[in-house]
Amino acid sequence: TYLIAGNGNEKENLIEKVKTLGLEDTVNFLGYVSDDSKIPLLDICDLFILLSREENGAVEGYGISYIEAGARGKAVIGGNHGGTKEAVENNETGILVDSLNISKVKKAIKELYLDDKKRIQMGSCAKKRILEEKIWDISQDKILKQIEDGLL
């Protein structure tokens, strides 16, 4: 089963695509996910994918969602720009891709989906990094700075 959380701009397009492909029994759209629901969802997933991208000059300020997934021992696939690059160590804690390059996105998903050992190893590395490097503390400081600077 593939779970899609959130109410992003592409949700309706994705729903139509799922219907067109006949994947309604495989893909579930969760809509808005509360903070209370986030951790249980991270715990049951095999892989966390968030393909942030630069849009009209705006980029992911800091990848807190990637940090949350890593703290739960999950490998991630993310866009290769903005704060995502600080949150995800490419080929160590996850895979960074050009989120607009569908063939690279598909390759990364297939790679981690089919290679349990690699996916689990990356998730373990992510959790270890967060604990050892105190990433949560660093993340909080960066987020507070972005709020102060009016970026968030």
Side-chain angles (χ1 to χ4, degrees):
T1 300
Y2 191 77
L3 303 175
I4 300 177
N7 291 317
N9 297 338
E10 292 298 317
K11 182 178 179 182
E12 293 305 317
N13 291 335
L14 290 171
I15 290 171
E16 286 304 313
K17 187 72 161 177
V18 166
K19 287 178 184 175
T20 300
L21 296 171
L23 297 173
E24 296 95 337
D25 293 338
T26 306
V27 179
N28 294 314
F29 291 89
L30 304 175
Y32 171 78
V33 174
S34 69
D35 286 337
D36 292 340
S37 299
K38 192 183 314 180
I39 298 304
L41 286 171
L42 287 171
D43 286 343
I44 65 168
C45 77
D46 293 321
L47 178 61
F48 180 81
I49 305 168
L50 178 59
L51 298 171
S52 60
R53 63 187 183 277
E54 184 174 340
E55 196 168 296
N56 298 324
V59 295
E60 178 82 27
Y62 190 74
I64 193 72
S65 295
Y66 304 103
I67 298 297
E68 291 171 331
R72 305 310 292 182
K74 304 303 174 179
V76 302
I77 297 173
N80 63 352
H81 48 72
T84 306
K85 291 188 288 188
E86 292 180 53
V88 180
E89 289 185 39
N90 193 32
N91 296 313
E92 294 292 324
T93 65
I95 298 177
L96 297 175
V97 296
D98 175 351
S99 58
L100 298 177
N101 185 326
I102 300 305
S103 64
K104 290 190 179 190
V105 172
K106 286 178 8 181
K107 181 182 177 203
I109 292 170
K110 187 174 183 180
E111 179 180 340
L112 292 185
Y113 182 76
L114 295 176
D115 191 340
D116 291 341
K117 184 177 179 183
K118 184 173 189 172
R119 185 181 67 247
I120 291 166
Q121 177 64 30
M122 284 183 167
S124 295
C125 286
K127 189 171 188 174
K128 181 179 178 188
R129 176 177 179 242
I130 289 163
L131 293 173
E132 289 181 358
E133 296 180 21
K134 301 185 183 336
I135 298 295
W136 278 117
D137 297 337
I138 294 167
S139 298
Q140 290 174 354
D141 292 343
K142 287 185 178 200
I143 290 168
L144 288 174
K145 175 76 172 122
Q146 288 180 347
I147 291 170
E148 290 171 4
D149 293 345
L151 299 174
L152 290 179

